């Protein structure tokens, strides 16, 4: 077999010097870090109870016996003056030390600053950009209650405030990165860049996904990364159509910048400061790795946007596209089309109306040109761009594919949306070659073949299950 099969399951990122695989911190170090943070939190609490930093520092000086009493300096003898000066020096030294401790406690419990170009208000509270009835909106969307401060958010995420600031802070030039980046091949021969968060940030993003992002409203036309919907449900909506029109959005994830994510979260009911933090946690700037004076630097080469590989990104785009989906659904209905969206793939299908005792309308009556012109306008109005090279019009009589599945009208007993026969043939040949002891093409793995078999199983369970059993036998043979 010479053709290389493309997996529908993304490969794991390669381990390299520039993007090392994350290592699990030692449990003792984690416990020490938690204990240190708790001590800082309690220290700041004591500072607040004392009435502020100056009052707390004064208490510490008195408790340590280094607070110099105010005296009539002129009435002292030379020996007393010298002793009082020494005590004042000791007091000044201790005061500086205590102020450093107070500053350390403040930094551990406050954000203060999130980088150049990021507006941050520590106090938060209502402002003119809050949606009407913000708290009611948050409750209606099922957003978590009690997230009324930075410390409350950090506690919900299971990290310290300083860690939250570290993950959220934006730098144009950084000495490290919270992400791994790698490339996978695309069907057209190009490469797709994936950027995935490292272990600890990924855990934070998964909390944000489950407790905030997935609770935001999504349109019924969205089929990607939505519970109960899939590639299959997206394709079945266009089964047996006379005309299928496929449109792609250009630079879909990079076009969703962090201010757009922040606006979405605010619209969902979050206050300004929490929306800022969650938007920064969910985005990253594309970066170039450079060496400068012996140091490795990660330099931003574009605005901070959704990384293609973060767990929060697909669901954020679904929520962000709510108005886009509404507009395209209404447009499609007016023109007689059915509309669905799977991530950045937009699909429109048209069925000609059949009139009794009259000939069927010709396929040329499908208003494709009008549809495409209107879609382009809607996309631009919503902050997206139609990809000029990826628009396809598939008419009845030619093979119609939607998210990788063939949706042409099929005979009875054949799945309405099915994996193309050439893909099944290549998969069968690849498994046969492996069973005969022949190596696969460079880069082809059993995991990729299993991904394709699982893809087939989605539409043809019996055939897919047979392929999966053969692949499991090959795996056992390899490990024996």
């Amino acid at each position: 077999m010479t053709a290389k099969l493309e997996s529908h399951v993304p490969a794991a990122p390669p381990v390299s010097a520039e993007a090392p695989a994350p290592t699990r911190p030692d449990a003792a170090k984690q416990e020490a870090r938690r204990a240190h943070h708790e001590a800082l939190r309690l220290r700041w609490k004591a500072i607040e109870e004392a009435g502020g930093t100056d009052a707390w520092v004064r208490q510490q000086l008195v408790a340590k016996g280094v607070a110099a009493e105010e005296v009539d300096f002129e009435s002292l003898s030379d020996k007393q003056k010298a002793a009082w000066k020494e005590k004042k020096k000791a007091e000044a030294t201790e005061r500086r030390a205590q102020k450093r401790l107070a500053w350390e406690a403040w930094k551990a419990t406050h954000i203060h600053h999130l980088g150049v170009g990021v507006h941050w208000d520590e106090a938060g509270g209502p402002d003119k950009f809050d949606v009407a009835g913000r708290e009611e909106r948050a409750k209606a969307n099922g957003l978590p209650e009690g997230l009324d401060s930075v410390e409350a958010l950090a506690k919900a995420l299971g990290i310290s405030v300083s860690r939250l600031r570290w993950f959220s802070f934006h730098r144009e030039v950084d000495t490290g990165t919270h992400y791994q980046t790698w490339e996978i091949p695309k069907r057209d021969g190009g490469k797709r860049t994936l950027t995935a968060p490292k272990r600890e940030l990924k855990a934070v993003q998964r909390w944000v996904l489950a407790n905030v992002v997935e609770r935001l409203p999504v349109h019924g036309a969205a089929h990607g990364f939505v519970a109960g919907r899939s590639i299959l449900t997206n394709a079945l909506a266009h089964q047996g159509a006379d005309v299928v029109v496929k449109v792609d959005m250009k630079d879909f994830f990079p076009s969703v910048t962090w201010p757009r994510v922040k606006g979405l979260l605010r619209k969902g009911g979050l206050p300004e400061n929490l929306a800022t933090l969650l938007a920064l946690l969910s985005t990253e700037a594309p970066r170039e790795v450079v060496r400068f004076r012996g140091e490795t630097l990660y330099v931003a080469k574009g605005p901070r946007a959704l990384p293609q590989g973060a767990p929060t990104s697909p669901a954020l785009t679904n929520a962000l596209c709510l108005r886009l989906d509404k507009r395209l659904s209404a447009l499609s209905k007016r023109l007689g089309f059915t509309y669905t969206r799977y991530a950045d793939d937009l699909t429109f299908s048209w069925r000609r109306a059949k009139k009794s005792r009259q000939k069927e309308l010709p396929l040329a009556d499908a208003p494709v040109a009008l549809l495409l012109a209107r879609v382009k306008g809607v996309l631009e109005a919503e902050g997206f761009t139609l990809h000029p090279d990826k628009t396809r019009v598939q008419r009845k009589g030619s093979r119609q594919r939607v998210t990788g599945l063939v949706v042409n009208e099929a005979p009875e007993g054949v799945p309405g949306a099915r994996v193309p026969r050439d893909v099944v043939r290549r998969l069968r040949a690849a498994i046969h070659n492996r069973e005969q002891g022949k190596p696969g093409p460079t880069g082809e793995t059993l995991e990729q073949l299993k991904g394709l078999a699982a893809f087939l199983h989605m539409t043809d369970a019996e055939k897919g299950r047979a392929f999966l059993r053969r692949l499991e036998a090959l795996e056992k043979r390899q490990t024996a």
Side-chain angles (χ1 to χ4, degrees):
M1 186 181 95
T2 57
K4 181 178 177 181
L5 293 173
E6 178 182 297
S7 173
H8 291 267
V9 181
V15 178
S16 68
E18 292 180 354
T23 56
R24 186 175 294 276
D26 182 77
K29 290 182 179 179
Q30 284 186 324
E31 186 57 36
R33 192 167 64 191
R34 281 194 291 266
H36 179 62
H37 172 69
E38 181 61 16
L40 293 175
R41 190 188 68 80
L42 292 174
R43 185 190 301 166
W44 183 253
K45 184 178 178 182
I47 291 171
E48 289 183 317
E49 290 174 350
T53 299
D54 289 341
W56 179 81
V57 169
R58 180 65 184 172
Q59 284 182 359
Q60 299 305 303
L61 295 176
V62 171
K64 291 177 179 292
V66 295
E69 298 294 333
E70 292 300 322
V71 297
D72 182 3
F73 189 75
E74 296 300 326
S75 64
L76 299 179
S77 65
D78 291 342
K79 186 176 180 180
Q80 288 173 324
K81 287 179 180 179
W84 187 82
K85 286 180 180 180
E86 287 301 316
K87 192 167 187 178
K88 288 295 285 185
K89 286 181 181 179
E91 179 191 55
T93 300
E94 185 62 30
R95 184 184 297 277
R96 287 192 295 270
Q98 293 301 319
K99 283 196 172 185
R100 282 195 295 272
L101 292 176
W103 173 241
E104 184 184 21
W106 189 92
K107 287 196 299 181
T109 51
H110 296 76
I111 295 292
H112 179 56
H113 182 53
L114 286 170
V116 176
V118 180
H119 169 73
W120 174 250
D121 181 4
E122 187 79 33
D127 67 18
K128 65 179 181 179
F129 296 109
D130 280 339
V131 294
R134 182 191 65 77
E135 293 181 352
E136 290 75 12
R137 177 77 64 87
K139 189 174 182 180
N141 285 334
L143 300 186
E145 298 181 3
L147 295 183
D148 53 359
S149 68
V150 169
E151 195 165 4
L153 175 61
K155 185 176 181 181
L157 293 172
I159 57 177
S160 65
V161 172
S162 58
R163 208 79 175 160
L164 174 58
R165 181 177 59 246
W166 183 54
F167 284 137
S168 307
F169 203 96
H170 174 71
R171 293 178 178 86
E172 289 295 313
V173 179
D174 209 342
T175 56
T177 175
H178 299 301
Y179 290 83
Q180 294 175 313
T181 300
W182 72 101
E183 293 180 333
I184 60 172
K186 296 169 66 175
R187 288 179 187 166
D188 60 6
K191 292 185 177 181
R192 187 187 307 277
T193 300
L194 296 183
T195 304
K198 294 179 182 178
R199 185 185 59 84
E200 191 175 0
L201 178 57
K202 182 179 287 187
V204 168
Q205 290 182 348
R206 282 177 174 158
W207 186 95
V208 176
L209 174 65
N211 293 277
V212 178
V213 181
E214 288 186 335
R215 302 187 182 193
L216 300 175
V218 174
H219 195 271
H223 286 257
F225 313 97
V226 178
R229 304 177 205 169
S230 65
I231 288 172
L232 179 60
T233 62
N234 184 65
L236 286 173
H238 307 284
Q239 176 191 356
D242 292 297
V243 179
V244 174
V245 180
K246 295 174 62 178
V247 172
D248 269 23
M249 289 186 270
K250 187 177 181 182
D251 299 328
F252 183 51
F253 285 95
S255 67
V256 183
T257 56
W258 84 266
R260 294 185 72 178
V261 176
K262 176 180 175 179
L264 169 70
L265 296 174
R266 296 205 65 180
K267 188 176 180 181
L270 287 179
E272 196 272 343
N273 56 350
L274 298 189
T276 297
L277 284 169
L278 294 186
L280 291 169
L281 284 173
S282 305
T283 56
E284 170 63 327
R287 294 187 181 272
E288 182 178 358
V289 182
V290 300
R291 295 283 296 175
F292 181 72
R293 294 180 179 175
E295 188 176 19
T296 299
L297 300 176
Y298 298 83
V299 182
K301 56 181 183 180
R304 197 178 184 104
L306 292 181
Q308 191 166 353
T312 43
S313 294
L316 280 168
T317 60
N318 279 340
L320 188 70
C321 287
L322 177 62
R323 191 170 68 174
L324 171 71
D325 290 337
K326 285 181 178 179
R327 294 183 66 179
L328 291 180
S329 292
L331 169 65
S332 299
K333 188 174 181 180
R334 286 198 303 272
L335 297 179
F337 285 84
T338 297
Y339 162 71
T340 64
R341 181 179 57 81
Y342 192 97
D344 57 348
D345 295 334
L346 314 181
T347 306
F348 305 84
S349 60
W350 180 86
R351 292 167 178 80
R352 56 186 166 189
K354 295 184 179 180
K355 297 184 179 180
S356 60
R357 300 179 183 177
Q358 293 184 19
K359 289 183 66 176
E360 293 179 349
L361 292 172
L363 295 186
D365 280 6
V368 174
L370 178 59
L371 171 75
L372 292 175
R374 296 281 177 83
V375 167
K376 183 175 185 291
V378 172
L379 287 176
E380 290 175 352
E382 293 296 325
F384 298 104
T385 304
L386 183 147
H387 199 302
D389 302 325
K390 292 192 176 181
T391 297
R392 299 287 183 270
V393 180
Q394 305 168 340
R395 299 185 184 277
K396 194 173 185 179
S398 63
R399 187 163 72 171
Q400 298 170 327
R401 289 178 62 164
V402 176
T403 46
L405 299 174
V406 177
V407 296
N408 295 77
E409 192 170 354
E412 188 175 346
V414 176
R418 52 213 178 272
V419 176
R421 282 178 292 183
D422 59 316
V423 174
V424 178
R425 283 196 296 266
R426 291 202 304 270
L427 176 59
R428 183 184 292 111
I431 296 174
H432 176 74
N433 287 341
R434 294 296 185 100
E435 289 172 337
Q436 298 302 311
K438 298 176 183 178
T442 303
E444 181 187 274
T445 66
L446 283 182
E447 283 301 314
Q448 288 177 325
L449 298 180
K450 284 175 68 177
L452 280 174
F455 183 51
L456 175 61
H457 183 273
M458 183 173 57
T459 61
D460 190 333
E462 184 178 349
K463 192 176 292 184
R465 195 178 300 115
F467 283 142
L468 285 169
R469 281 197 294 266
R470 292 169 66 182
L471 287 167
E472 286 171 4
L474 282 170
E475 275 190 324
K476 289 177 181 177
R477 196 165 78 183
Q478 280 188 349
T479 55

